[in-house]
Amino acid sequence: MAQRTVTIASSVGLHARPAALFVEAAEGTGLDVEIGRAGEDAVDATSILGVMALGAKHGEEVVLTADGDGADAALESLVALLSRDLDAEEG
């Protein structure tokens, strides 16, 4: 199982638009991806309700895990996504 730690860059945290973009990207991997805080239960990264309930705020670290072929590459792309201020970017 691949694992990465990333700091949430979006100014509003992982909420609303940034959460929706992240969930869409996680779904696009086709893998079992989870997100959570270190030491806490992770949630399904393809569940908008789970990701929003996580309540990850700007500057907080989260841990991403994925299992399956291409997991490392998938996590690298998700880390790159969360490392940007998605709320500041135009859709």
Side-chain angles (χ1 to χ4, degrees):
M1 182 172 297
Q3 179 175 304
R4 301 286 186 283
T5 301
V6 61
T7 301
I8 303 295
S10 287
S11 57
V12 297
L14 204 47
H15 181 72
R17 183 171 179 273
L21 292 171
F22 172 74
V23 166
E24 183 179 321
E27 287 174 341
T29 68
L31 301 173
D32 292 330
V33 181
E34 292 188 333
I35 182 171
R37 290 184 187 86
E40 295 182 12
D41 289 338
V43 299
D44 180 355
T46 64
S47 166
I48 189 69
L49 294 177
V51 170
M52 290 183 69
L54 184 64
K57 296 177 177 27
H58 171 77
E60 286 187 333
E61 282 192 344
V62 292
V63 178
L64 303 175
T65 58
D67 201 16
D69 290 340
D72 286 311
L75 289 184
E76 288 300 325
S77 68
L78 294 174
V79 163
L81 186 69
L82 293 180
S83 296
R84 300 182 350 231
D85 187 353
L86 298 171
D87 205 51
E89 296 176 13
E90 292 189 27

